[in-house]
Each structure stands twice: as C-alpha cells, then as structure tokens.
Amino acid sequence: MLVPPFNRVRAVGTAAFARRTVMVALVVCAAGVPLLPMNEMKVTGTLLAGCVLLIGALLSLRSGTPAGRSDLDAPAIAFLALAVASTVFGVNPRMSLVPTAIRGEGLLDYLVYLPMALAAARLGYREIRELLTVLLGAAALIGAAGVAQYYGVDATRWIGSRGLDYGFYSWGTLANPDFLGGYASLVLPIGVAMAATAADRRSWWGYAGASTLLYAALLGSQTRSAWAACVPAAVVLLRFLPRPAGARRRLALLGLAFAAVTVLMMLTQPRVSFTGRAASALNPADTAMQQRRWIWAHTVPMIAERPVLGWGFSSVQGHLPGIGTPGYYRVFGHGSVLIDVAHNDLLQVSVNMGLAGLAAYIWIWATAVRALHGAARTATSPVRPEATGILAGFAAYFVWLQFLWSHIGDTNVFWVLAGLAVAAGRAAQSPGEGVMLVAANIDRPTGHGGTEG
C-alpha cells in the first residue's frame, strides 16, 4: 500500500536522522571515549554513547526501517545473554553489574559494547571509511599526547586528568602505558593500510601523520607485548594489502618516517633504552613475567571451581587463591599488591563468564576474522584496504591481549571494529549495498525501505 508523499518524505528524513544518530554513537564510543583521560570518565562516556545509540535505534523503529540481519547477531546475542547470566548467578551481582572506577569493567558496559558492535555490523562501506577516518583522527591526538609525555609534558591535565606520572613512559589518554600499547597495536595497522592506499595526497598526509604519531606513542609506551604484536600485524599487511599505483612508495616513505622517529626518540631521550626494554622480555628472571605466570597459574583453579558461568565481572580481587603464601611473597615481595585481573584476556573472560562465555567470545572473534579474511582477499571489495588494516590490527591486538586484558577505552574500539569487520565482509560480497540508507529508501515507494544489512 502506497503512503502519502508527505509521510514518505518524513519517514525518509527520520530514517536518515536515525542513521546519523547511530553514527554519532559509534563515533563517541570508538573515538571519543578513548580520548577521555581518566577511567571514570570513560565509564561515563561509554554509558552516554549507549544512550545515544538507544535514541538512534528508537528513531529507526519509528521510521519503519527494518534492522536486517548480520552474521554477528547470533554470537553477540549469545555472549550478551551469558554476560547477564554470569552476573545474576555470580558471587557478587551488584559489583559485577556496575563498572568499577579502577578497571571500568561491568555488565553495564557490555550492554553498550554488544549493541555498538551490532549497529556497526549494519553500516555501508562509505560509513565504514567515515568512521575509520574519525577513529584515526582521535588516534592522532592520543599519539601526540603520548609523545609529549615521553618528553615530560602531560597535556591531559588540561582536559581533566588528575596528573598521572609514569616517568618516561607514554600513556596518552589511556591512563596506563600498557593500554596505550594495546590501543596502538589495534589502531596503527589501520592507519598504515589506509595511508598506503590513499586516493589523494591530502588523505595520504592525514593517514600518514596519524600513523606516525601513533607509532611514536607506541614506542614511548615501552609496552613489550604491543611491540611484539607488530610482527603479526606486519605479516598480515604484507600478505593482504592491495598494491595500487604508488602503494609501495607510500609504504617505503612511511617506513622511513618510522625509522626516523625511532632514531630521534632514542637520541633525544638518552635515559630510555628501547633495545634494553625489548631484550628484557627474553630474560627468564623478568619480574613482570614471573608475576604474570603466578597469576595465570592461580587463575586456573578459579575457573575450575565455577567452570560454566564463572564468577561475574570484577570478581578476581578477593577470590584469587594463593594470596599471602610464601610463593606469593617470593614473586611479589612483601608490599601491598592489588591483583584484580587475570592478566590474560582468555583467562579473564573464563573467570568472568565461565567456559560458556569464553566459547561465545571466541565465536565473535572467529566471525569477525572470517569476514575480514574474505574482504581482504576479494579484489573487488570496496573496503579491501580497511578490511586488511582491521585484520592486521586484530592479529596484533590478540597477541597483546594474551599478556593483558580487555580494558575500557581499548575495548570500546575493539567492539566497534568487530562490527565493522562483519560489515566489511558483507560489503565485499555485495558492493552495491554500500549506499547510505536515505538513498535506499528514496528508491522505494513504501514506508518499509530496505537497509544495508
């Protein structure tokens, strides 16, 4: 049945506004929240992004636009259902529900992350590029803040930071050098891929500049796991990145810029030894690795005690066995040490949500990687460079996660990129669907226009 022209125009306008509202929510989540300098700010920003996304979803329903389906729906819904169950049946449901000020981990965050991923999975290829461009703009600011911190200037105090001090380490706006390393390992390969395949000089300078700043911040973070994670990322980029005219020259220029930055940072901050820091990772007596191995060994009994649904979020502290034993003091000394995470993402998910939650989490990773692999291999894919960059970022981020854990800020970016991965996979299979929603609706005479999903 045809609808009056006025109603049709109004429905199209509402659908377009809903689409832009969803985009704003995704931008706030993936680009805005990591820019906030303190964890409690990131928690608030994440919940705010969720509210904006809810408004966009309600407007989309009002316009009569069907959401469509994506390959991410089943694993994401399964993960969310298990997150709720692990909280309800956990050891402290109230603590597991509300994100903590220190770690920013709680069920409420996942009630934002999963819908963000599902919303991103329904974007068209133009929106994928738009969102990634904004993400790299935010990464440039974070990188610049990290470079300044390497030289003793903390600009984050101007935007609300309480004034953290990690010496000559960079932490950007991620509140900790380790999490800056994780952020850079996830986002930097995207910048490299988009710089190498930039369509014009202006885009090249923007992507290359953001990548160089983020690379400098990655060096300044001195996060060894993030440095090691660059190796699989480079392998993925070399294997799948398309080679349009000028791509090799751009990659060579970017490599020279990275080399120059490395030498400059070494010469201008002689009290920092990148080579010594990297070599310490191979030392079996390294304190950090001894502590991680002790935590890993004592996390496994926690998983065995509650193997199905886990303990609930934020439950490691106060329940980790072995605290106060001679072995504990031998590794950690006799000072007060806060241990509230497993320092390995797969173990952390298993403690939080049990083996059922871990299975759903791996299902999400497998779905995203499979979609990216298909998009990166498809020559006709309109987002092949972006898909390759995200795939490389995921390879690096997965390595980094085995020594740390999903943390607010980094996690915001991951879940949005997981959705973009599925959207990129769909765009590779159906390039013609990469049009904005309003254009799709104008071509239809009814108020039930299709989507890109």
Side-chain angles (χ1 to χ4, degrees), residues 4-227:
F6 176 77
N7 289 344
R8 178 189 168 199
V9 171
R10 184 173 63 182
V12 169
T14 302
F17 184 72
R19 193 73 161 190
R20 299 314 298 176
T21 302
V22 169
M23 282 292 290
V24 168
L26 292 170
V27 166
V28 172
C29 183
V33 170
L35 281 170
L36 300 174
M38 302 302 296
N39 287 340
E40 55 266 35
M41 295 180 182
K42 288 180 171 60
V43 172
T44 302
T46 299
L47 298 180
L48 175 62
C51 292
V52 176
L53 181 64
L54 179 61
I55 293 172
L58 293 175
L59 287 172
S60 183
L61 289 174
R62 183 178 180 183
S63 70
T65 303
R69 296 181 180 180
S70 80
D71 292 340
L72 193 62
D73 294 355
I77 292 172
F79 184 90
L80 187 57
L82 289 167
V84 172
S86 68
T87 299
V88 172
F89 298 105
V91 295
N92 191 332
R94 182 175 180 180
M95 182 178 66
S96 298
L97 174 65
V98 181
T100 63
I102 297 177
R103 298 301 183 197
E105 183 182 50
L107 176 62
L108 287 181
D109 280 338
Y110 285 90
L111 292 176
V112 176
Y113 295 148
L114 274 299
M116 287 289 174
L118 293 176
R122 287 159 169 78
L123 297 183
Y125 67 79
R126 296 173 187 170
E127 294 163 311
I128 294 173
R129 289 192 185 125
E130 180 182 343
L131 185 53
L132 291 179
T133 299
V134 176
L135 173 62
L136 289 172
L141 295 176
I142 292 173
V147 173
Q149 289 157 353
Y150 181 78
Y151 292 103
V153 179
D154 181 15
T156 64
R157 299 188 184 202
W158 308 337
I159 56 173
S161 172
R162 290 192 295 271
L164 303 173
D165 186 5
Y166 292 98
F168 298 108
Y169 289 73
S170 301
W171 63 94
T173 57
L174 279 304
N176 187 295
D178 287 336
F179 300 120
L180 174 59
Y183 177 89
S185 69
L186 179 58
V187 178
L188 178 58
I190 301 173
V192 172
M194 295 180 72
T197 57
D200 54 68
R201 187 180 297 271
R202 181 179 178 183
S203 299
W204 148 253
W205 281 109
Y207 296 141
S211 299
T212 303
L213 284 170
L214 197 54
Y215 171 79
L218 172 62
L219 279 182
S221 75
Q222 302 184 56
T223 306
R224 296 169 298 182
S225 57
W227 291 355

Side-chain angles (χ1 to χ4, degrees), residues 253-267:
L253 288 173
L254 203 54
L256 288 174
F258 288 178
V261 165
T262 303
V263 173
L264 182 63
M265 292 179 69
M266 292 175 65
L267 293 177

Side-chain angles (χ1 to χ4, degrees), residues 167-417:
F168 298 108
Y169 289 73
S170 301
W171 63 94
T173 57
L174 279 304
N176 187 295
D178 287 336
F179 300 120
L180 174 59
Y183 177 89
S185 69
L186 179 58
V187 178
L188 178 58
I190 301 173
V192 172
M194 295 180 72
T197 57
D200 54 68
R201 187 180 297 271
R202 181 179 178 183
S203 299
W204 148 253
W205 281 109
Y207 296 141
S211 299
T212 303
L213 284 170
L214 197 54
Y215 171 79
L218 172 62
L219 279 182
S221 75
Q222 302 184 56
T223 306
R224 296 169 298 182
S225 57
W227 291 355
C230 292
V231 176
V235 171
V236 172
L237 288 174
L238 291 174
R239 171 65 179 85
F240 292 107
L241 193 64
R243 303 288 195 274
R248 295 182 185 276
R249 179 176 59 84
R250 295 191 191 104
L251 281 174
L253 288 173
L254 203 54
L256 288 174
F258 288 178
V261 165
T262 303
V263 173
L264 182 63
M265 292 179 69
M266 292 175 65
L267 293 177
T268 55
Q269 196 59 277
R271 285 174 287 186
V272 175
S273 173
F274 293 148
T275 55
R277 178 67 177 162
S280 67
L282 303 177
N283 183 0
D286 180 69
T287 301
M289 281 307 302
Q290 286 186 350
Q291 293 175 348
R292 283 189 173 90
R293 286 195 295 267
W294 188 93
I295 294 172
W296 296 342
H298 288 79
T299 299
V300 173
M302 287 187 65
I303 299 171
E305 187 174 342
R306 298 176 66 93
V308 180
L309 293 176
W311 295 70
F313 297 105
S314 302
S315 295
V316 171
Q317 185 179 357
H319 296 98
L320 188 70
I323 302 294
T325 62
Y328 166 83
Y329 289 123
R330 186 169 54 251
V331 173
F332 293 95
H334 290 273
S336 177
V337 178
L338 175 66
I339 303 177
D340 57 354
V341 286
H343 284 269
N344 174 284
D345 192 53
L346 298 181
L347 291 178
Q348 184 69 26
V349 173
S350 300
V351 169
N352 289 342
M353 300 173 55
L355 298 180
L358 177 63
Y361 186 58
I362 293 174
W363 188 7
I364 290 171
W365 269 92
T367 301
V369 169
R370 184 172 60 249
L372 289 170
H373 184 258
R377 292 183 58 192
T378 303
T380 58
S381 171
V383 287
R384 187 181 177 191
E386 292 83 353
T388 303
I390 298 173
L391 182 61
F394 275 15
Y397 188 60
F398 186 81
V399 170
W400 175 84
L401 282 173
Q402 304 323 302
F403 300 91
L404 287 136
W405 65 94
S406 300
H407 190 274
I408 193 164
D410 295 359
T411 307
N412 294 62
V413 181
F414 166 75
W415 285 106
V416 172
L417 290 180

